[in-house]
Amino acid sequence: MAAGEPARRVEELRKLIRRYDYHYYVLDDPLVSDSEYDRLYRELEELEGAHPELVTPDSPTQRVGGEVLEGFGQVTHSQPMLSLDNSYSEDELVEFDRRIARAAGQEGPFDYVTELKLDGLAVNLLYENGTLVQGATRGDGRTGEDVTANLRTLRSLPLRLQDEELDPPLPAILEVRGEVYITRSGLEAANAQRLTDGEPAFANPRNAAAGSIRLLDSSITAGRPLKIVLYQMLAGETALLSGFSRHSEVLSYLRKAGFPVNPLWKACRGIDQVIDFCREWAQRRAQLDYNIDGVVVKLDDLRLRERLGATSKAPRWAMAYKFAAEQARTQLIAIDLQVGRTGALTPTARLEPVFLAGSTVSNATLHNEDEIERKDIRVGDWVWIEKGGDIIPKVVAVDTKARKPDTEPYRMPENCPVCGSKAVRPPGEVVRRCTNASCPAQIKERIWHFTSRGAMDIEGAGPALVEQLVDNGLVHDVADLYSLKKDQLAALERMGNKSAENLLAQIEVSKSRGPARLLFALGVRYVGAIAAQLLAERYGNLIAMQDATKEEIEAIEGIGQVIAASMAAFLAEPRNRQLLERLEEAGVELGCAPAEKVEIPAEGPLAGKRFVLTGILSKFTRSEAERLIKERGGKVSGSVSSKTGGVIFGEQPGSKLDKAKKLGVRTIDEAEFLRMLDQK
Ligand code: I6G
């Protein structure tokens, strides 16, 4: 290419891609095929790769940054992000219209704009000279979080606005507000992925949008199917000075500038037309691929808005009309109990299938036994179910008039429905739990969690196989997975030699997933993927963590009391210590050196010796002691054998000290350990 040619082509490609994005995301009217789009995008990427000096932050290739943030900066909003007053009936809308007439000192009919109220997360965006420079959450209304990096990953959000043929031209500073949301189909796909990854499903679209926008790693946000619509340009500096007199003009202008604006808004003359719009969308909401919880009604006249102003909470010129949650009536066939991996018994309503808010429903949540008692829900009852904002419907009420005389109040069983062991409900807790850690249902759930994607990711070991492994007595706990033999697996249903070999290969690979994934996979109550990562970073090695106290764990930033207590209780349980030892013996990697990797020198006073640590040392944390040993050429191991060079013990030593004495291995107290470290 001639000099200057790459720069010209890069600009040309960006312009084309922006135009195609606009047609695809904003106008919902694609101009080119996916393959043509991909070809241009790749050409741009290649040119920018060859000429890094041409890369600009507003290039379509620059949506995902490389860095992971440590936290979000704070953004003080130029004007508070207010809420909206709510109304729940048509009468309240009529009253709103009368209030406007009183405040305006004039009779209606007024011009209103009605917009659908999406169930998402409100954000504020700042553009300087047409380029996105900042995006923030609502926060407390005055100060939000700077989530620019995450918002940039939303494909429908323009990084650069288009200003050709815009009248009036774009102002130097443009501030707009809108809602980030996730479609129903996007949420379904995201939740299916989360369940295979061993992560809990998002309960509703709002949680999914808010959770995804508040991630510190924008490359994860980029993988979430988030969308955005803009509905407000800040008045005063921009809107009025630019010569707009109506909100409807602002919406059209925003769309022309390249913003995705929900096209389903309507200009209404008088409150009766507003009410018609509300009725129409209360009926039609199930047809949409996103959740709406109502309609926002706004005065169209910007000058009249300015006169009416706002209270400290909400503008006087707008009102949210909230839909009643959609309900359906059906019969409760049974109450099933599911036993989770921590033994929790969760009641689920099995229903006569019924159509509700876009899908057929045959299960609903009953939360817990207190809820069942409070609502007096009985098997055989006719019940009202509701979807609300959540995906899983809930039973909201019983149609007691339709109750048959032979029904009885529901009583939660006092025994586990799977293994028959006592199921107890500790005082102060709402959940009843099966007390038998060897309950087949708990074992299956624990093993399945262990093998799932976000945990040890053992492909092929899904619920059906785990069920067979447990039912055939081949696996009693997760460590047993590592001693499975090919002929045992090949003899199972829907398995053959080839599948057995593949599964064994997957099990082998899983041994090196590392301590964070392993700890998460063990399914310690409250210890999710993030807590597991923090713990693994602190201790480096699960054996090194074994004797950690609750206080020590609680001192880790990001770990609270509940997680610390649960982790310490898990580690104090001899059965769990044995499990870790068995995993280590099977070759599962329980970790590497703590935090900083320590190079083990070939020579040194402790060279060639392997030590085991147990109990609490007063002068060192476990990871410091490990590092000091390694710096002197020694190695640290998690289990004691006749080859162990010494067991260093502190206060409250574990069973490793007894084992050392039994095997005649040298035992070293803290004072001796200090002397040992002093040796040259
Ligand atoms: O929270 C909101 C959702 C939707 C809004 C809103 C909206 O318009 C469609 N509009 C305003 C003016 C405000 N909140 C304050």
Side-chain angles (χ1 to χ4, degrees), residues 59-270:
S59 170
T61 60
Q62 302 301 303
R63 288 194 175 267
V64 187
E67 70 192 305
V68 175
L69 302 176
E70 297 209 334
F72 296 113
Q74 298 224 315
V75 173
T76 305
H77 300 304
S78 64
Q79 293 175 34
M81 285 184 83
L82 299 177
S83 328
L84 291 168
D85 285 332
N86 290 324
S87 58
Y88 299 91
S89 67
E90 293 174 3
D91 285 351
E92 285 180 82
L93 284 179
V94 172
E95 183 46 42
F96 165 65
D97 185 55
R98 286 201 191 113
R99 261 203 316 275
I100 300 245
R102 278 198 299 275
Q106 69 187 73
E107 288 285 301
F110 295 98
D111 288 330
Y112 292 104
V113 169
T114 44
E115 296 167 64
L116 300 183
K117 189 167 182 308
L118 275 71
D119 209 2
L121 176 81
V123 291
N124 186 83
L125 305 171
L126 198 63
Y127 284 77
E128 270 175 25
N129 300 317
T131 300
L132 174 68
V133 291
Q134 188 186 71
T137 60
R138 178 174 184 278
D140 63 6
R142 286 174 201 284
T143 311
E145 284 176 324
D146 184 341
V147 289
T148 315
N150 289 343
L151 287 170
R152 286 175 61 90
T153 69
L154 271 60
R155 298 292 300 267
S156 53
L157 183 66
L159 298 179
R160 189 162 179 83
L161 298 174
Q162 78 90 22
D163 50 8
E164 272 168 36
E165 295 169 36
L166 257 196
D167 182 24
L170 277 177
I173 304 243
L174 178 65
E175 201 167 349
V176 288
R177 289 180 177 168
E179 199 93 355
V180 174
Y181 69 103
I182 190 166
T183 59
R184 287 198 194 132
S185 48
L187 181 62
E188 235 170 71
N191 272 346
Q193 183 65 53
R194 281 173 76 80
L195 291 178
T196 27
D197 290 353
E199 291 176 66
F202 292 116
N204 55 51
R206 197 175 342 101
N207 287 5
S212 305
I213 281 298
R214 297 193 64 258
L215 287 166
L216 293 172
D217 184 347
S218 61
S219 68
I220 305 180
T221 309
R224 303 266 166 91
L226 298 176
K227 294 193 163 188
I228 188 167
V229 284
L230 282 307
Y231 52 67
Q232 190 183 12
M233 177 155 77
L234 292 200
E237 276 170 40
T238 48
L240 281 180
L241 288 181
S242 324
F244 296 106
S245 59
R246 294 190 165 267
H247 177 58
S248 44
E249 291 167 4
V250 171
L251 289 179
S252 304
Y253 181 81
L254 288 177
R255 190 168 154 99
K256 272 198 206 117
F259 288 112
V261 172
N262 192 334
L264 299 174
W265 61 269
K266 192 167 180 223
C268 299
R269 182 125 187 94

Side-chain angles (χ1 to χ4, degrees), residues 167 423 489 545 649 652:
D167 182 24
L489 289 173
M545 191 169 86
F649 65 95
Q652 299 169 33

Side-chain angles (χ1 to χ4, degrees), residues 292-327:
I292 56 170
D293 59 359
V295 169
V296 183
V297 184
K298 296 174 184 171
L299 263 184
D300 197 19
D301 183 331
L302 297 180
R303 281 175 187 84
L304 183 51
R305 281 191 187 190
E306 197 85 330
R307 272 176 51 207
L308 295 185
T311 65
S312 61
K313 193 185 144 255
R316 291 197 181 87
W317 42 262
M319 175 64 77
Y321 172 79
K322 299 291 274 278
F323 297 142
E326 282 181 89
Q327 291 193 341

Side-chain angles (χ1 to χ4, degrees), residues 541 544 592-594 613 622-630 636:
N541 181 312
C592 48
L613 290 153
R622 185 56 72 89
S623 41
E624 279 166 348
E626 271 198 27
R627 199 190 66 231
L628 290 163
I629 295 169
K630 288 176 181 170
V636 179

